C-alpha cells in the first residue's frame, strides 16, 4: 500500500532493527544509540571521512512513513566502518552514490511519491535482471524489496507480498545495511556502475539466527538520468537468490565474499592456478 505506515523504536533504526552484536537483542537501546553517535563523531574526526549527502530531507514538510525524518548516524557509522572505497571529492562516483542514497531515502521514507525529487515523475522506471519494470507509483506501492526481488523463486521470496510483509521479514536481520558505489564506468545520460551492499548478520531472518558474519551483495547497474540528474530508468543486475539462500542458512556467507559468485574465481581453469592455489581459491569447472 502506498500509505503503509510503520512504527520503529527510534528514527535511527527504521528498516533495520536488529542488534549491534549477535549475542545482543534488538533494536538498540537509548544507551547503545548514544554510544553509536559518539563513535560516529569520533570516526569522522579521526579519519576525516566524508558523510554521504541525502538531499531533500528538510527543504519542505513531508509525510514520513515512520512519522519523522530518519536519523542516519547508525547507518553512516556502519557505512564508514565497512566501506571499501574512498572516492575523490567531486568525483562521479561520489555524485552517483549521493544520488542513489537520496533516492533510497525518498523511496523508503516519503509516503507521497509525488514528493520524490530524485526521480523524473513521468519517465521513472526501475527493475532488476530483466524482470518486470515498475513505474514511480507502482514502486512506491510495493516497496524496494519487492521491486528488487521480483520474480525470485517463490520458496525464497513469496510473490504478492505487501510492503508491511517485506518489512516484517527483514527488519530483525541487521542493525544497519549500508551500500556503496564501487566504480562508475560512464557518465550521464546513461550511468553504468558497480556496487556493494553489506551487513553483519546479527539478528534473525525467517527463523535463521545470524552469528555476526559479514553478508555481502555485489552487482552492477545502469541509470538513465535527465539533464538535472533525475532518475528516469534504473536497471539493477545481481544474484538475489544467492543472498536469500545465505540469509536462510542454505549456503555460507563466504560464497558471496569478494564478488566471486558474480565474477567467478578469476583463476585458471586448467588447474595451474599458481597464486590462486596458494590463496585457497580453486578454479571452477
Amino acid at each position: 500500500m502506498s500509505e503503509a505506515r510503520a512504527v520503529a523504536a527510534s528514527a535511527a533504526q527504521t528498516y533495520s532493527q536488529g542488534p549491534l552484536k549477535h549475542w545482543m537483542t534488538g533494536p538498540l537501546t537509548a544507551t547503545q544509540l548514544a554510544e553509536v553517535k559518539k563513535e560516529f563523531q569520533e570516526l569522522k574526526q579521526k579519519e576525516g571521512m566524508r558523510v554521504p549527502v541525502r538531499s531533500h530531507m528538510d527543504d519542505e514538510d513531508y509525510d514520513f512513513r515512520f512519522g519523522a525524518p530518519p536519523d542516519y548516524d547508525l547507518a553512516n557509522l556502519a557505512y564508514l566502518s565497512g566501506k571499501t572505497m574512498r572516492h575523490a571529492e567531486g568525483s562521479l562516483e561520489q555524485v552517483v552514490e549521493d544520488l542513489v542514497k537520496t533516492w533510497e531515502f525518498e523511496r523508503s521514507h516519503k509516503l507521497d511519491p509525488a514528493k520524490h525529487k530524485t526521480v523524473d515523475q513521468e519517465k521513472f522506471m526501475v527493475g532488476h535482471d530483466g524482470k518486470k519494470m515498475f513505474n514511480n507509483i507502482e514502486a512506491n506501492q510495493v516497496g524496494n524489496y519487492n521491486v528488487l526481488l521480483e520474480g525470485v523463486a517463490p520458496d525464497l521470496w513469496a510473490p504478492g507480498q505487501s510492503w508491511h510483509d517485506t518489512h516484517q521479514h527483514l527488519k530483525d536481520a541487521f542493525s544497519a545495511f549500508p551500500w556503496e558505489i564501487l566504480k562508475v564506468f560512464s557518465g550521464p545520460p546513461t550511468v553504468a556502475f558497480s556496487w556493494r551492499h553489506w551487513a553483519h548478520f546479527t539478528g534473525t531472518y525467517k527463523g535463521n539466527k545470524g552469528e555476526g558474519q559479514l553478508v555481502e551483495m555485489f552487482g552492477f547497474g545502469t541509470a538513465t538520468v535527465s539533464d538535472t540528474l533525475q532518475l528516469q530508468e534504473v536497471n539493477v543486475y545481481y544474484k538475489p537468490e544467492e543472498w536469500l539462500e545465505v540469509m536462510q542458512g542454505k549456503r555460507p556467507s563466504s560464497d558471496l565474499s569478494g564478488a566471486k559468485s558474480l565474477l567467478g574465481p578469476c583463476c585458471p581453469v586448467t588447474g595451474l592456478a599458481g597464486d590462486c592455489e596458494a590463496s585457497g581459491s580453486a578454479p571452477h569447472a
Side-chain angles (χ1 to χ4, degrees), residues 2-275:
S2 60
E3 293 302 316
R5 297 179 183 275
V7 176
S10 77
Q13 283 194 294
T14 52
Y15 281 80
S16 295
Q17 299 180 16
L20 273 179
K21 304 294 182 181
H22 69 277
W23 61 84
M24 299 177 177
T25 58
L28 274 66
T29 65
T31 299
Q32 289 172 327
L33 281 173
E35 287 297 318
V36 162
K37 288 178 175 294
K38 179 182 177 183
E39 184 180 351
F40 173 52
Q41 294 300 327
E42 289 174 348
L43 181 61
K44 279 197 305 179
Q45 294 171 9
K46 178 182 178 182
E47 301 293 337
M49 301 177 85
R50 177 186 184 271
V51 177
V53 175
R54 296 172 176 87
S55 303
H56 313 309
M57 191 178 300
D58 55 8
D59 54 333
E60 62 173 282
D61 290 332
Y62 296 108
D63 191 8
F64 288 107
R65 188 180 299 276
F66 292 86
D71 176 349
Y72 280 103
D73 282 359
L74 174 58
N76 285 335
L77 174 61
Y79 164 81
L80 294 181
S81 300
K83 69 175 185 159
T84 61
M85 305 300 295
R86 192 163 188 165
H87 301 304
E89 185 67 31
S91 65
L92 192 53
E93 282 83 3
Q94 188 182 90
V95 171
V96 173
E97 187 171 88
D98 283 351
L99 174 61
V100 174
K101 286 182 179 293
T102 301
W103 168 74
E104 188 277 334
F105 146 68
E106 291 193 305
R107 181 66 69 206
S108 299
H109 292 277
K110 292 182 181 179
L111 282 172
D112 184 0
K115 297 286 189 177
H116 296 185
K117 298 179 179 180
T118 51
V119 303
D120 184 319
Q121 295 285 332
E122 299 300 321
K123 295 182 179 181
F124 181 77
M125 301 289 288
V126 60
H128 79 96
D129 300 297
K131 302 294 195 299
K132 174 185 175 179
M133 297 293 287
F134 293 78
N135 65 30
N136 191 42
I137 303 300
E138 293 170 331
N140 197 64
Q141 288 174 338
V142 301
N144 279 350
Y145 291 138
N146 278 327
V147 169
L148 297 176
L149 293 168
E150 166 73 19
V152 170
D155 62 316
L156 294 173
W157 191 259
Q161 296 184 70
S162 66
W163 178 94
H164 180 76
D165 293 335
T166 66
H167 179 61
Q168 289 301 114
H169 287 321
L170 284 158
K171 69 180 180 65
D172 297 323
F174 314 125
S175 63
F177 195 15
W179 183 92
E180 68 175 330
I181 283 280
L182 297 177
K183 297 288 184 180
V184 173
F185 301 96
S186 62
T190 301
V191 181
F193 57 92
S194 56
W195 53 268
R196 171 179 173 255
H197 216 348
W198 75 97
H200 288 276
F201 188 12
T202 55
T204 58
Y205 176 75
K206 292 187 175 181
N208 183 40
K209 180 71 175 71
E211 298 179 349
Q213 67 269 39
L214 178 65
V215 178
E216 295 178 288
M217 185 192 305
F218 294 86
F220 186 78
T222 59
T224 303
V225 298
S226 69
D227 55 4
T228 57
L229 294 184
Q230 285 186 311
L231 296 166
Q232 295 179 326
E233 183 172 312
V234 178
N235 288 278
V236 179
Y237 302 94
Y238 71 123
K239 290 191 171 184
E241 294 87 356
E242 294 184 351
W243 179 73
L244 288 169
E245 287 170 356
V246 168
M247 295 302 296
Q248 292 187 14
K250 295 180 178 179
R251 67 161 67 208
S253 61
S254 57
D255 281 3
L256 307 184
S257 62
K260 57 179 177 283
S261 72
L262 193 71
L263 301 176
C266 299
C267 292
V269 298
T270 59
L272 304 177
D275 290 340

